[in-house]
Amino acid sequence: IVNTAPPALPASPTIPALTYSVAVYGAVPNDGVDDRVAIQAAVNAIIAAGGGTLEFPAGTYNLSINPSSGTYKYAIELGTGKIRLAPQSDAIVTIKLNDNQGAYYCIFNAQNTVNVSIEKLKFDQNGMNNQIALSEISYDGGAVVETSVRQIFAFSGATRFMVDQCTFDNVLGVWVI
């Protein structure tokens, strides 16, 4: 007997109804200024409130890797989860990594989180301006070995996460998830 039933899908992330805007925390699109601190403040506030949706008004938001993020360098820490990142209404939103960010582990750190949904956002790793330096590459028997694996999202140990209708541009030497 052959089972023809489709496999059961895992449960979708459960996100509380609360909605915040990154603009309230000082993130300004299209100005070329680093929005990392403002976006992290908005993430921290929504998580402290028990979770919800973090909306981005239309435009491009610039991010840098947090220099205080420890061994596993990242830009934004999604904490314990219960968070949805999405554009405001049908806005077109790009999250762009700044130039020359060097070796980093991920842009969005969602390790060990529960209930994370990232929807309809465009991620620009700015790959040509974020190549791994020669000092960060080792050679093993003539083969090139990267010593730094880079990702857009790190979901290691996460439960109920979803990346839906997102696009990824200018990705070079990076795993998306």
Side-chain angles (χ1 to χ4, degrees):
I1 296 175
V2 176
N3 184 356
T4 59
L9 295 175
S12 294
T14 304
I15 310 297
L18 184 65
T19 300
Y20 282 40
S21 173
V22 295
V24 171
Y25 291 86
V28 178
N30 305 322
D31 64 356
V33 175
D34 188 4
D35 295 300
R36 180 185 53 80
V37 171
I39 293 170
Q40 187 66 66
V43 166
N44 294 348
I46 205 160
I47 289 172
T53 297
L54 183 58
E55 291 185 333
F56 292 79
T60 298
Y61 296 85
N62 295 81
L63 287 182
S64 62
I65 298 302
N66 183 346
S68 302
S69 57
T71 303
Y72 296 102
K73 299 284 185 204
Y74 57 82
I76 301 294
E77 169 68 55
L78 295 181
T80 57
K82 294 185 183 176
I83 189 167
R84 175 179 173 252
L85 305 179
Q88 188 176 52
S89 301
D90 290 325
I92 296 175
V93 175
T94 300
I95 310 291
K96 181 179 180 183
L97 191 63
N98 290 336
D99 292 353
N100 303 315
Q101 293 303 297
Y104 60 87
Y105 179 64
C106 62
I107 297 173
F108 286 86
N109 188 15
Q111 294 186 57
N112 302 312
T113 60
V114 177
N115 295 316
V116 174
S117 181
I118 302 171
E119 304 170 20
K120 301 178 182 176
L121 297 171
K122 178 179 175 181
F123 296 91
D124 183 345
Q125 188 258 341
N126 193 10
M128 291 305 291
N129 297 309
N130 277 304
Q131 296 183 41
I132 294 177
L134 287 176
S135 62
E136 297 167 329
I137 297 176
S138 63
Y139 297 90
D140 181 19
V144 175
V145 179
E146 284 191 30
T147 58
S148 175
V149 174
R150 300 179 300 169
Q151 305 172 62
I152 304 291
F153 307 114
F155 284 115
S156 175
T159 306
R160 288 188 304 276
F161 64 89
M162 177 175 71
V163 177
D164 186 32
Q165 299 180 53
C166 292
T167 58
F168 302 91
D169 286 346
N170 301 314
V171 176
L172 180 66
V174 172
W175 298 349
V176 171
I177 297 176

